[in-house]
Amino acid sequence: MAGAKEMMGCSLIQLSSFDTCNTATSFPFRQNQNRFLANPVLLPWKQRRVHLRRVAKVRAAVTVRNKNREDFKETLMKHWDAFTDKIGRNVVLELISTEEDPTERVHYTEEFTVDSNFGLPGVITVTNKHQKEFFLESITIEGFACGPLHFPCNSWVQSNTDHPAKRIFFSNQPFLPNETPKGLRALRQQDLKDIRGNGNGVRKLSDRIYDFDVYNDLGNPDTGVDFARPTLGDIQAESRVEKPMPMYVPRDEQFEESKQKTFSAGRLRAVLHNLLPQLKASISAYNRDINSFADVDDLFKEGLLKLGLQDEAMKNLPLPKMVTKIQESSQGLLKYEPPKVVSRDKFAWLRDDEFARQALAGVNPVNIERITVFPPVSKLDPEIYGPQESALKEEHIASQLNGMTVQQALEENKLYTVDYHDIYLPFLDKINALDGRKSYATRTIFFLTPNGTLKPIAIELSLPHTAPCSQSKSVVTPPVDATSYWIWQLAKAHVCSNDAGVHQLVNHWLRTHACMEPFILAAHRQLSAMHPIFKLLDPHMRYTLEINALARQSLINADGVIESCFTPGRYCMEMSAVAYRSHWRFDKEGLPADLIRRGIAVPDPTQPHGLKLLIEDYPYASDGLLIWNAIENWILTYVNHYYPNSSLIHNDRELQCWYHESVYVGHADLSNEDWWPTLNTPDDLVSILTTIIWLASAQHAALNFGQYPYSGYVPNRPPLMRRLIPEENDPDSHRLGGADVEIVEAFYRFAAEIREVEKEIEKWNGDRRLRNRCGAGVLPYELLAPSSDPGVTCRGVPNSVSI
């Protein structure tokens, strides 16, 4: 029973009750030339014959976010809106300040009348009759006996000329599907139908349709054979949307202006840092790369333009004045901040102890695993890749085991490895055929010392097996003289390069960004905005689709940043896809399961999180388990509140459709694997949700926010290696980076537990007995410290996979 009348040049908000047909009169709000009015003028309604009835007045407080910038088209539309507001029978007097409105958010209120038997509002529908979109942040309804009712909107509302359907916004009260009040059931289904779309037509940037796609547009063969790439799905390659044209993501997933401004500034800095070394090489009379550690240091001391580029730019670049202005106005834009890894000890990265420590507390602390069999054995097909046996022998490491035999070291859990043999070896022929790129498949063996630190004791370097008697594997051990010292350093550099590639292509991109995407898409498509599980997941899904779309255009595409900067080059995404098919398992992505899989921990019911770490001073694991435990406790309370028994899980069609679509559509390549968790009980749901939220928040933080602090100093983690290690007879051998009270209380307990986690981490970082996180020249492990000040701080755990 809608009482709304369509009005020219205004937005109509309509209030719906939980009951079947009690709908209140709508009210309009309008926008002036600069902003939404704080006190909108009501348009007069046409006279209607109505029955005399008791009425009540309620007030709606609406929060709308202003745009900071407008393009010419938006400005034109704004003036058209102002014009249409003034035609007809309405005269609006507006007081406009001479100053620009500095506020980002505008709050205004309006009263409207409802029947006394209206019930509680459950839905507000919005029609935007302006020519342009606006961002509706929230609406709060006051005047009902139950107190204020909140409608979190956080969405762009499009003009009805582009999107005629009314926008539906639900109150903050969550409902399982079979508990949805009768008055809201049809609207719940309609909203999900709108979000899924019909699969037809061309997507507009203003659409809010969520649908699945495959990553088959990373290559661009139309621009040349060098840009062709194998498809990563089962269909043919698709044409790319190249910059500056934006790639489609649903409108509400796009960055808001403040986020876009921050991201654009960071991207400009990255572009200039990538571009200027190339400019330097191309216009320099010597056409040289960085040749010494002093050149690297100058990146942080002097900046890029002062490294010989400025004078040559004035002579050779077509726009020298622009370069000068960039330098003068950039306030350090062309100058690198010193990475934290060299801020305390300039040469710490050269030492073996720091090399080993970063396997536990660096930017990629998720590959270290316990050795149970020595020598290690490859799992690759010997018919294709040669003998599975390692070149490592007992005599290579016997002198480094503090008097133990190898068997004793194995039994006492003293031997560990970072093993990249199987992931790199299948690609080495192709990688090493690329110009200026050379790689080994590496294995590194570590010994756990009595003081709790790791010591590297051997590195195996493997090349493709070419003939029965070929020497394709070699072992490098800690140095005993000057020559072996530099051989050892170069071997460690190749290990770090392997590590940088696996970190970026597998652990960071694949395991957090890409593998989260199906769960996010399915959540929007199958879970209503009023579903309690959608409300739980919503903050952990924000921005991920936009970040991934930007990655497809600039980072993981053919000849993009990743291919340009990492040794595997054009084979980067193929390596990532192979890792997905052969190694990724959702049931092992949770932290406890991952630690057990890697042999780093064993079950121990006496511990708070049910695990005993075999490397006690393992900062990533110890900090991570505190956060994992806090997340799990919070989700356990939340899930048990809404699902006190398993029948509710079985009968929740939206929930079951979400999980089914996440697996069978989003992860179709692996959907038939028997390791997928079932979703039959509340405990199943707790486990699945804890894993997803862990991956989106803490796991991504541990893998993302240490990139510049550790990898920004390139010698510490060289992403691209140009040569193999010289042989002794090689001439080069001589020149050796809104709910129920119970849920609110549970959330506050969760927040308090996270604060306690942070205190515990700070205490551990100050404990001088823990040498992997405290000591002279040691960078404290703060990547999983929950809070952070503004800026790049090398700490802080966000809600979602973002940057």
Side-chain angles (χ1 to χ4, degrees), residues 84 149 159 211 248 309 339 370 459 497-498 585 592 618 633 700 709 731 750 776:
T84 57
L149 296 168
S159 167
D211 207 351
Y248 172 78
L309 173 62
R370 180 164 55 92
I459 295 172
S497 184
N498 273 193
R585 291 181 50 159
Y618 185 2
N633 289 339
H700 179 259
F750 168 64

Side-chain angles (χ1 to χ4, degrees), residues 446-515:
F446 298 93
F447 176 72
L448 182 61
T449 67
N451 65 10
T453 61
L454 292 178
K455 177 175 69 172
I457 57 176
I459 295 172
E460 181 180 25
L461 305 172
S462 296
L463 291 171
H465 181 73
T466 56
C469 298
S470 64
Q471 296 296 317
S472 57
K473 301 177 181 180
S474 61
V475 176
V476 181
T477 55
V480 295
D481 55 32
T483 300
S484 60
Y485 173 82
W486 284 109
I487 296 293
W488 176 250
Q489 294 296 344
L490 291 173
K492 288 196 301 181
H494 274 282
V495 170
C496 290
S497 184
N498 273 193
D499 192 69
V502 171
H503 163 258
Q504 201 66 271
L505 306 176
V506 179
N507 298 328
H508 184 198
W509 163 251
L510 172 65
R511 294 174 65 186
T512 61
H513 282 263
C515 286

